[in-house]
Amino acid sequence: MMDAGTKTKIYSCPVEVTIGVIGGKWKSVILYHLISQPVIRFGEFKRILPGVTVQMLTKQLRELESDGVIHREVYQQVPPKVEYSLTKFGKTLVPIVESMTNWGMNYAKSSGKRIELVGKGKG
C-alpha cells in the first residue's frame, strides 16, 4: 500500500520489508554465494547459478545494488570486468541467510531432497 501524501510504500509487517529486499528466486542465493566467496565476478555468477538467465541475473544484481546490499565494481578494461561484493549493510543480512541455509539443509535431509552446489562440491 502507498501513502498518498508521500508516495511512500507502507508495509504490513517487518517480514514484508525483508522480503522486499531479499525476496525473489535468486537474490538470497546470490547473497549465499557472496557470504562464502566475498568477491564474485558476473561470469562466475552465471557459472554457479546455471538456472538463471543473464537478464534475470542482471535484474536481481541491480536490485540488490539499488537497495545498498551489494557493491558493483566495474573495471575499465577489455573485456569488461565486473565484480560484486557485500556492502557493510549487506553483511547485516548474513545471520538471516545463514539461518535460511541451516533450515534448508535440515529440511533437505529430513525430506530426502538433494543439494548439489555447482563449483563447490556436494552438500
Side-chain angles (χ1 to χ4, degrees):
M1 178 165 64
M2 298 290 273
D3 179 349
T6 63
K7 301 216 183 211
T8 302
K9 181 167 175 63
I10 299 173
Y11 296 92
S12 61
C13 76
V15 174
E16 184 182 3
V17 176
T18 306
I19 296 301
V21 175
I22 66 169
K25 183 172 181 178
W26 299 104
K27 287 182 184 179
S28 54
V29 179
I30 289 167
L31 295 174
Y32 168 82
H33 287 289
L34 282 172
I35 290 167
S36 62
Q37 185 178 336
V39 176
I40 301 179
R41 292 177 64 173
F42 187 82
E44 178 70 2
F45 272 124
K46 289 192 309 186
R47 189 179 73 75
I48 61 178
L49 304 173
V52 69
T53 65
V54 170
Q55 294 81 9
M56 180 55 72
L57 178 58
T58 300
K59 179 180 185 291
Q60 299 281 271
L61 289 167
R62 285 185 181 158
E63 288 175 5
L64 287 167
E65 182 184 13
S66 175
D67 286 332
V69 175
I70 63 173
H71 172 72
R72 179 177 183 256
E73 185 73 34
V74 179
Y75 296 89
Q76 299 302 321
Q77 64 184 49
V78 178
K81 177 180 171 183
V82 180
E83 293 181 337
Y84 295 90
S85 58
L86 290 175
T87 62
K88 184 177 179 180
F89 173 64
K91 290 176 182 175
T92 65
L93 292 166
V94 169
I96 295 167
V97 176
E98 286 177 342
S99 290
M100 291 170 62
T101 300
N102 291 334
W103 188 91
M105 294 292 284
N106 289 331
Y107 177 72
K109 187 176 183 179
S110 68
S111 65
K113 297 190 183 307
R114 182 174 156 199
I115 299 172
E116 188 169 324
L117 302 175
V118 175
K120 305 223 182 211
K122 296 181 179 177

